[in-house]
Amino acid sequence: MNPCYSISTNITKCNSKIWVKFAISQYAENEHMNFQLNEEQLAVQQAARSFAQNQCLPGVIERDTHMIHPTEILKELGQLGFMGMMVDPKYNGGGMDTLSYCIAIEEISKIDNSCSVAMSVNNSLVCWGIEKYGNEEQKEKYLKPLASGEKLGAFALSEPEAGSDATSQRTTAIDKGDHYVVNGTKNWITNGGKADIYLVIAQTDTEKGHRGINVLIMEKGMEGFTLGAKEDKLGIRSSDTHSLLFQDVKVPKENRIGDDGFGFKFAMETLSGGRIGIAAQALGIAQGAYELSVKYSKERKAFGKEISKHQAIAFKLADMATEIEAARLLVYKAAALKDEGKDYTQASAMAKVFASEVAMKTTVQAVQVHGGYGYVKEYHVERLMRDAKITEIYEGTSEIQRIVISRGILK
């Protein structure tokens, strides 16, 4: 709906100055609701779409089957500027807005979600966290190689007994004056075995609870820092997911981000933005499954005509298209709020919970549209269905998102 139309309608219906002021204020609040992508965003979309088709699609089934990490593809993404899209150019980033980032994630996710989740973690968790809260020395040393794609980042929050309850950190970082000594275990860490730089959340003062948590920058190769088992997963199988083991790891005090006790707030604010990236990933999964379904339904014939001409299939496609578009609007709104510097916590939670559930529903229906062919790897939709499930779990489960949303609307 054109906002200007809303204003004129309200003025025509009621000459009250109160209604006029209300209409104008509503227009002002919704100026960002421009549904047309600008030239830069369209260029990002086309570049990401072309890369996904030409670089990600070849070998995607083999990588998924054998859990082969897309190392070279990620390096190419870095060279093209996709690994630090929102970072200031002075730190080797693209200086782009969050919406452009979401558009790129969506396009890559249509084809290979193991690539897009690595890209998402590096962009919206690691790079964003260091740029937003790191000091100048940390940005020069760590952000620059991360943003350029020279190095890969990981975000280590989850533990065997601290998943959704991030306050229950068992990994400790004991203050020893000029350094911390870190002990503990992290699990489900995306990029865990392939990363060079890790943001590790650890408990320094148990008596202070979540106010005693810090975030430390750690590097691969630090003495006492080893990898645990690589996870054999249902979906995103070529994404590298490892547990991390810390035994008396010495981390210099200058590697702490922010003031003492800032770690929990850092994690929550970083995840809030990260959820936009995962919502965009879910959107891409759904869109990819939908496009494959439309294509197949126009080729496959049953009872003398293309199955797309049967109402049972046509209505499935209609529902897919409608729900995907609704998810896209939620994702874009969250991205727009973030770019405007407004509170996007609730919006990002809404986008993630809705888009992830749309992804799951759409991919299940895509398998159904494909019939028996949907159950085999060659047609891709079974992989998208497996990949969709994790978007309802990582970076905050759907249940956690509903807690965030309900707190926002009831406070």
Side-chain angles (χ1 to χ4, degrees):
M1 179 181 289
N2 187 330
C4 295
Y5 174 79
S6 298
I7 292 175
S8 62
T9 302
N10 282 328
I11 293 174
T12 302
K13 286 184 177 180
C14 181
N15 291 324
S16 167
K17 292 181 180 179
I18 295 176
W19 276 105
V20 173
K21 289 180 179 178
F22 172 76
I24 292 172
S25 69
Q26 288 297 98
Y27 172 70
E29 289 177 5
N30 289 282
E31 282 184 302
H32 66 267
M33 296 302 288
N34 179 356
F35 302 115
Q36 300 299 317
L37 302 181
N38 61 37
E39 289 185 9
E40 182 181 82
Q41 291 161 348
L42 287 170
V44 168
Q45 184 181 59
Q46 185 54 48
R49 183 175 296 169
S50 176
F51 185 89
Q53 289 290 332
N54 296 318
Q55 270 70 43
C56 297
L57 184 57
V60 66
I61 295 175
E62 182 184 4
R63 292 194 301 273
D64 172 78
T65 301
H66 301 292
M67 297 194 298
I68 301 170
H69 187 257
T71 305
E72 294 305 315
I73 295 175
L74 293 178
K75 287 181 180 178
E76 291 180 47
L77 280 169
Q79 291 167 3
L80 291 173
F82 284 112
M83 298 301 280
M85 293 182 68
M86 299 174 287
V87 175
D88 191 306
K90 70 180 180 180
Y91 300 117
N92 297 335
M96 298 182 189
D97 58 14
T98 309
L99 183 53
S100 295
Y101 161 65
C102 288
I103 292 165
I105 288 285
E106 179 184 348
E107 292 299 328
I108 301 297
S109 298
K110 290 180 186 179
I111 305 298
D112 190 343
N113 295 286
S114 294
C115 287
S116 67
V117 70
M119 176 180 161
S120 176
V121 168
N122 201 76
N123 271 277
S124 59
L125 295 185
V126 184
C127 284
W128 186 86
I130 296 175
E131 183 172 28
K132 177 73 173 179
Y133 295 111
N135 58 40
E136 198 60 33
E137 290 74 18
Q138 291 166 346
K139 292 175 186 179
E140 286 290 329
K141 184 176 181 180
Y142 297 112
L143 182 57
K144 280 187 171 182
L146 285 165
S148 67
E150 177 187 344
K151 293 187 177 181
L152 185 64
F155 185 82
L157 173 64
S158 295
E159 297 182 4
E161 296 182 39
S164 295
D165 182 8
T167 62
S168 300
Q169 296 293 304
R170 299 293 181 88
T171 296
T172 58
I174 305 304
D175 192 337
K176 295 293 185 180
D178 64 344
H179 67 277
Y180 291 96
V181 175
V182 180
N183 283 280
T185 301
K186 296 290 181 179
N187 65 348
W188 318 119
I189 307 304
T190 300
N191 300 339
K194 298 294 182 179
D196 305 285
I197 298 166
Y198 302 75
L199 300 187
V200 178
I201 313 298
Q203 187 83 47
T204 297
D205 190 337
T206 55
E207 292 184 0
K208 292 183 179 179
H210 71 277
R211 292 183 176 86
I213 293 174
N214 281 308
V215 55
L216 306 175
I217 303 174
M218 297 178 64
E219 300 177 45
K220 177 179 285 184
M222 284 182 164
E223 187 176 354
F225 177 7
T226 58
L227 294 177
K230 181 178 180 178
E231 303 295 345
D232 188 356
K233 308 184 298 294
L234 171 72
I236 55 167
R237 287 175 53 78
S238 60
S239 168
D240 184 75
T241 308
H242 269 273
S243 55
L244 311 179
L245 310 176
F246 309 119
Q247 184 173 0
D248 295 331
V249 183
K250 292 183 179 181
V251 182
K253 185 68 72 70
E254 58 262 28
N255 281 31
R256 186 187 73 203
I257 296 178
D259 296 331
D260 186 30
F262 180 67
F264 181 75
K265 184 178 181 181
F266 173 91
M268 294 303 99
E269 293 196 10
T270 304
L271 286 173
S272 187
R275 286 166 184 155
I276 301 175
I278 299 304
Q281 181 190 32
L283 175 62
I285 292 171
Q287 182 68 32
Y290 164 74
E291 291 177 3
L292 288 169
S293 297
V294 171
K295 181 176 183 293
Y296 180 81
S297 72
K298 290 180 177 180
E299 297 170 349
R300 175 72 170 175
K301 291 185 177 181
F303 306 104
K305 58 184 177 181
E306 293 85 0
I307 63 172
S308 61
K309 295 181 180 179
H310 292 285
Q311 190 178 83
I313 300 301
F315 278 15
K316 287 184 190 297
L317 297 175
D319 288 342
M320 286 183 193
T322 302
E323 292 178 355
I324 290 169
E325 193 61 22
R328 180 172 288 109
L329 294 178
L330 282 172
V331 174
Y332 285 13
K333 178 183 178 182
L337 288 172
K338 186 172 184 287
D339 287 332
E340 292 168 6
K342 297 179 180 178
D343 184 5
Y344 56 88
T345 303
Q346 183 174 305
S348 67
M350 286 180 171
K352 184 183 183 296
V353 71
F354 188 79
S356 63
E357 292 180 0
V358 166
M360 196 69 240
K361 182 178 178 180
T362 299
T363 54
V364 169
Q365 290 298 333
V367 171
Q368 192 71 18
V369 168
H370 282 74
Y373 291 104
Y375 213 64
V376 296
K377 294 185 176 184
E378 180 184 354
Y379 286 76
H380 297 289
V381 288
E382 64 83 28
R383 186 185 74 256
L384 291 173
M385 182 177 70
R386 289 186 285 107
D387 288 351
K389 185 59 195 174
I390 192 60
T391 65
E392 295 182 307
I393 298 172
Y394 59 14
E395 292 195 34
T397 64
S398 293
E399 291 76 17
I400 291 295
Q401 303 315 309
R402 288 184 166 92
I403 290 174
V404 173
I405 295 164
S406 62
R407 285 176 177 170
I409 62 178
L410 296 173
K411 68 180 180 180

